[in-house]
Amino acid sequence: MEQEERVPEPVSFWGALRGTCCGTEIFSRLRYNSVWRTLWHLLLMTLLVSAGIVWGEGTRMGRVIDEVERRITAEFGSEIRMTPEALIPAVRPEEARSLDLPWNGRISYVPDFKAGMAVDPDSIALLDYLVIWSPRFLGCAWQVEPGNWQFGLERPTETEQAAPAPGTVPLFRGIGLSFRSFSTRELCDFLSTGVEVTALWPRQEPPEIPVASLFDAVASSVALLVFLGRFAGLLLLALLYTLIFAGVSRLSLGGRKVVLNFAQFWKVGVYAGFPVMLVAGCFPALDLPFFSYSTVFMIGLVIYWMIAAARLERSGSESNEENFR
């Protein structure tokens, strides 16, 4: 008589990670984990890999940010003064000047933006982004594609939009940002014409803002955004690849009988991706050449998944033969 198969105890996250990194034996137990436990383990694994990638990327970016902070401090001073009338540097607030930034950008300080600023279209076209800093104005333009720019500035409230002063751009009285599209020539014309700003800055007490504190806040915000983006991307990639491949593999079987049903086959695939995610995460974290995370993950997942599934199918078939002898 055929004996009823005994379902093993659920495998913990660390047990699953350790077991999948050591071989395929653990998959005979992992296929019995519930779908919700499997998804929870995938979330934890994605958090772990995302944190590692952001740590590696943050180490490289941190050196760049430190260098930018040093250059900004040398050019504009160690503090920025923020009053209701102006946002000015501590050093030479009356002098217009520009400073190149990493990742093909530039910051331009303009003491009187009402008079406009001289802009060379050929020079601007080579940039990826441009930060405009004036005592009463702050904006950022970035090139979304060659010749097309987006310019971000503070969005006014509905009352201010109803009757704006001619030629003015009210700032910091509403919530959020508004964006305008420009060609390279239109952006240069806009900047050279000048803008009279009628708004006031928020009151800051004390009015001095240390540049180091500003960079710390920016670095923390960027790290959080990068982490969230990585986490969402890695999780979506894992779910998409495993569901699509599991569906295609099951459909290609036709009417052939297999040991693993669809849910078990998918769970084997999710756990097979754990060691692959660790390896694939090294490429963006360590800035390794030639391969991207998605390429390494896709190739490694399919290979390890097929090896683990083949072992389970083979061991299941052998068990069935023994039961019928």
Side-chain angles (χ1 to χ4, degrees):
M1 179 181 297
E2 182 179 350
Q3 296 181 350
E4 184 178 352
E5 186 177 15
R6 185 176 65 86
V7 177
E9 291 293 325
V11 183
S12 66
F13 170 74
W14 294 111
L17 179 58
R18 182 173 59 251
T20 54
C21 290
C22 294
T24 58
E25 183 178 354
I26 191 70
F27 288 98
S28 60
R29 297 173 56 200
L30 289 174
R31 64 173 172 148
Y32 292 110
N33 274 1
S34 68
V35 172
W36 292 114
R37 176 179 285 265
T38 303
L39 288 173
W40 171 242
H41 288 177
L42 178 60
L43 284 173
L44 294 177
M45 189 65 198
T46 306
L47 284 171
L48 181 65
V49 175
S50 299
I53 293 176
V54 172
W55 175 82
E57 292 178 328
T59 302
R60 296 194 306 275
M61 292 177 61
R63 292 191 290 266
V64 177
I65 292 175
D66 289 342
E67 175 62 18
V68 174
E69 180 183 345
R70 185 192 66 79
R71 295 173 60 192
I72 291 288
T73 301
E75 185 65 37
F76 299 104
S78 60
E79 294 179 338
I80 298 173
R81 185 170 183 82
M82 187 175 185
T83 70
E85 291 75 30
L87 183 69
I88 58 176
V91 176
R92 308 192 309 276
E94 74 288 345
E95 178 184 334
R97 53 204 187 270
S98 295
L99 184 68
D100 289 336
L101 298 177
W103 304 296
N104 200 28
R106 181 184 301 167
I107 181 171
S108 294
Y109 174 74
V110 186
D112 184 12
F113 196 56
K114 181 179 178 181
M117 58 179 289
V119 181
D120 178 16
D122 293 334
S123 175
I124 292 295
L126 299 177
L127 298 176
D128 288 332
Y129 66 96
L130 174 66
V131 179
I132 307 297
W133 174 17
S134 186
R136 300 285 298 277
F137 182 89
L138 188 64
C140 181
W142 58 96
Q143 196 164 195
V144 293
E145 59 183 23
N148 292 320
W149 293 77
Q150 284 287 325
F151 192 87
L153 63 158
E154 192 74 8
R155 185 179 61 205
T157 62
E158 294 181 1
T159 302
E160 292 164 331
Q161 288 175 345
T168 64
V169 179
L171 302 178
F172 292 100
R173 294 189 182 181
I175 300 175
L177 290 173
S178 62
F179 300 93
R180 293 182 59 183
S181 298
F182 292 103
S183 67
T184 301
R185 172 59 63 180
E186 290 170 343
L187 177 63
C188 293
D189 292 341
F190 172 78
L191 297 176
S192 62
T193 301
V195 177
E196 180 181 357
V197 185
T198 60
L200 298 178
W201 291 94
R203 186 174 298 277
Q204 167 75 20
E205 295 294 343
E208 292 80 15
I209 305 173
V211 172
S213 299
L214 183 62
F215 270 84
D216 289 342
V218 170
S220 300
S221 300
V222 170
L224 178 60
L225 290 175
V226 172
F227 173 79
L228 293 176
R230 283 290 186 182
F231 174 78
L234 267 58
L235 181 61
L236 181 62
L237 191 70
L239 290 173
L240 190 64
Y241 279 1
T242 53
L243 288 173
I244 290 177
F245 189 75
V248 171
S249 297
R250 298 295 94 172
L251 289 175
S252 64
L253 291 174
R256 285 181 293 170
K257 187 176 180 180
V258 291
V259 173
L260 299 174
N261 59 34
F262 177 84
Q264 291 178 339
F265 185 71
W266 173 76
K267 286 182 280 188
V268 169
V270 170
Y271 285 110
F274 281 16
V276 180
M277 291 173 73
L278 292 177
V279 175
C282 294
F283 283 80
L286 303 178
D287 197 23
L288 299 178
F290 305 120
F291 296 106
S292 65
Y293 175 92
S294 58
T295 301
V296 177
F297 177 74
M298 179 180 64
I299 296 174
L301 172 68
V302 171
I303 293 174
Y304 195 30
W305 192 352
M306 291 299 95
I307 293 174
R311 170 174 177 164
L312 292 176
E313 292 289 347
R314 185 170 56 252
S315 62
S317 299
E318 292 172 354
S319 298
N320 290 335
E321 291 177 3
E322 290 291 333
N323 291 330
F324 282 103
R325 285 179 182 176

